[in-house]
Amino acid sequence: MLRVLGVLAACALMGTQLTGCASFSREDFTAAEAERAALSRGSDIRFNADDPNAGVAFTVRTRAQLDQSGAQQRDLLAISGGGADGAYGAGVMVGWTRTGTRPNFAVVTGVSTGALIAPFAFLGPSWDDELTAAYAGGKASDILQRRGLGVLFSSSLFSPNRLRQLVEAYVTPTMLREVAVEHAKGRRLLIVTTNLDTQQTVIWDMGAIATRQTPEALALFRDVLVASSSIPGVFPPVMIPLDETGRNPIREMHVDGAVTAPFVSIPEGMFFWQAPDGREVKSQVHVIVNGQVDPAFAVTRGRISAVLARTFDSMMKSTARTHIAATRAFAERNDLDFKITMVPDDAESGSLNFDAASMKRLFTLGRDNVVKGVAWRKLD
């Protein structure tokens, strides 16, 4: 982590003399042109988190389908970012299956590494073997593929090839078909990216994408997952085309969803509902934080890499605590059960430590803590 941030800092400091540290050619377009292009591509597949009208429309569509399907429980699972620490969240899901208490969630949201876990969590226990292989089977150990001297002429330190190969290995036409089936029942799989052009949090309805069942839909599904997992500077941004028919193609630049949101809940209207017999049904909100959020003392060395690493860690912890407090307040306001699990403070972790043995230990920790009944906490 320190070496990564050190190189990023060097690129930033040399930026005025060496533009290759962020070499990326793009055509200009206006905000109005981008908005029109996004709407023409399909307003049903995405919306901005700060757009209240879009949030209401999403809620109305989802509630109508859930009512029609006769769903008796409407629980939310939100999975945070955290890089390699996502092994903990993956272990939590597998351990949850073993307890026999894992809900069939109405909504699953994922950010960054949480975006990679989310499709497996959404599709249920039948995908636990694939989730285990992805996070505890060593398949992510070489995800940080160095560019060598090519880094001076790129937009990132590492090549996205290994990340994209990992996504493509699991996100298959079969997965899309199964996601589409669950989407038709009113269940929702939502993935978050950050649009750097607009500086907004974008929520993608992956079931709506999967329902299209075209090669382009499969490509977009994969692109969104890669974009949500692409830590700026570590991996390159993902360019998502909106309109390539005109003289100036419009392609948005999307990166890690955790830049703007460590995890994401959903519009409040989703939680106000009654069963067909008129009973009021209580929903639950579960949050998996793939990392540690409490402040921890450590003497910070005077090197720029150490200062940047400590600053980044402090910023991410502070943002996570803010979102946890807001989600907890939301749950209390609406009389919802709120439970959270996170990497224990005494565990060895690191968002860029993709060592296979380290990830397997975190996976095992998450799995075993759930089985023992010590993973989930109700914050007092």
Side-chain angles (χ1 to χ4, degrees):
M1 179 67 168
L2 294 179
R3 289 194 298 271
V4 169
L5 288 172
V7 177
L8 287 174
C11 279
L13 291 172
M14 292 190 299
T16 55
Q17 294 122 351
L18 184 63
T19 58
C21 278
S23 179
F24 211 96
S25 177
R26 300 185 69 194
E27 297 290 341
D28 288 333
F29 52 86
T30 66
E33 288 172 335
E35 185 175 2
R36 284 195 299 271
L39 288 173
S40 66
R41 179 155 193 188
S43 58
D44 62 314
I45 65 173
R46 57 180 274 182
F47 60 94
N48 292 331
D50 60 358
D51 184 342
N53 293 328
V56 169
F58 166 82
T59 299
V60 170
R61 290 196 305 269
T62 302
R63 287 189 62 180
Q65 281 190 287
L66 284 170
D67 289 341
Q68 189 174 14
S69 69
Q72 293 299 302
Q73 195 170 353
R74 300 191 182 180
D75 298 332
L76 164 73
L77 173 66
I79 312 174
S80 85
D85 287 349
Y88 175 80
V92 166
M93 297 309 304
V94 173
W96 210 346
T97 297
R98 293 188 179 184
T99 67
T101 61
R102 177 173 164 180
N104 187 38
F105 289 98
V107 179
V108 176
T109 72
V111 177
S112 196
T113 193
L116 302 182
I117 299 171
F120 301 107
F122 179 75
L123 292 176
S126 63
W127 286 77
D128 279 1
D129 288 347
E130 288 83 354
L131 180 58
T132 300
Y135 276 91
K139 293 191 176 183
S141 61
D142 63 349
I143 200 169
L144 298 180
Q145 182 184 14
R146 293 190 178 277
R147 293 183 184 273
L149 290 178
V151 70
L152 299 177
F153 306 98
S154 176
S155 58
S156 67
L157 288 176
F158 298 99
S159 166
N161 291 342
R162 295 285 189 266
L163 173 60
R164 186 166 286 278
Q165 288 167 7
L166 188 64
V167 169
E168 290 177 353
Y170 291 102
V171 180
T172 62
T174 298
M175 174 179 277
L176 254 66
R177 283 194 297 272
E178 294 197 20
V179 169
V181 167
E182 296 305 311
H183 179 81
K185 301 175 184 176
R187 299 180 64 224
R188 295 293 180 260
L189 171 61
L190 306 178
I191 300 300
V192 178
T193 64
T194 299
N195 183 341
L196 282 187
D197 295 325
T198 63
Q199 296 185 318
Q200 289 176 302
T201 303
V202 179
I203 299 177
W204 297 84
D205 189 337
M206 305 301 279
I209 295 173
T211 299
R212 297 184 174 187
Q213 291 294 315
T214 63
E216 292 75 20
L218 177 61
L220 178 60
F221 198 105
R222 290 169 170 171
D223 280 347
V224 171
L225 293 183
V226 173
S228 185
S229 309
S230 294
I231 305 168
V234 176
F235 294 115
V238 174
M239 306 306 298
I240 296 182
L242 295 180
D243 182 3
E244 297 189 293
T245 59
R247 175 180 295 179
N248 294 327
I250 297 177
R251 297 193 301 158
E252 293 177 328
M253 181 181 285
H254 287 258
V255 297
D256 192 343
V259 169
T260 51
F263 61 86
V264 168
S265 185
I266 57 173
E268 294 190 13
M270 275 294 298
F271 292 105
F272 294 103
W273 72 291
Q274 291 183 329
D277 60 6
R279 287 180 300 108
E280 190 172 301
V281 179
K282 195 171 185 178
S283 299
Q284 299 181 85
V285 178
H286 286 85
V287 176
I288 297 176
V289 177
N290 291 303
Q292 298 161 332
V293 301
D294 293 331
F297 176 81
V299 175
T300 306
R301 302 304 173 190
R303 300 184 301 274
I304 186 171
S305 58
V307 171
L308 282 173
R310 190 66 172 169
T311 300
F312 177 80
D313 186 54
S314 300
M315 177 185 68
M316 296 305 292
K317 284 183 174 181
S318 177
T319 303
R321 291 195 299 271
T322 299
H323 273 69
I324 290 169
T327 304
R328 177 188 176 188
F330 162 81
E332 290 178 346
R333 224 173 28 244
N334 297 300
D335 192 29
L336 306 173
D337 287 335
F338 172 64
K339 295 180 181 178
I340 187 169
T341 183
M342 60 190 73
V343 177
D345 289 336
D346 59 355
E348 290 185 17
S349 66
S351 60
L352 292 179
N353 182 10
F354 287 94
D355 174 71
S358 175
M359 291 184 69
K360 188 171 183 177
R361 282 195 300 270
L362 271 179
F363 178 92
T364 302
L365 177 66
R367 182 196 64 200
D368 292 351
N369 279 2
V370 172
V371 172
K372 294 174 185 175
V374 298
W376 295 108
R377 296 160 50 184
K378 285 188 175 182
L379 299 181
D380 298 323

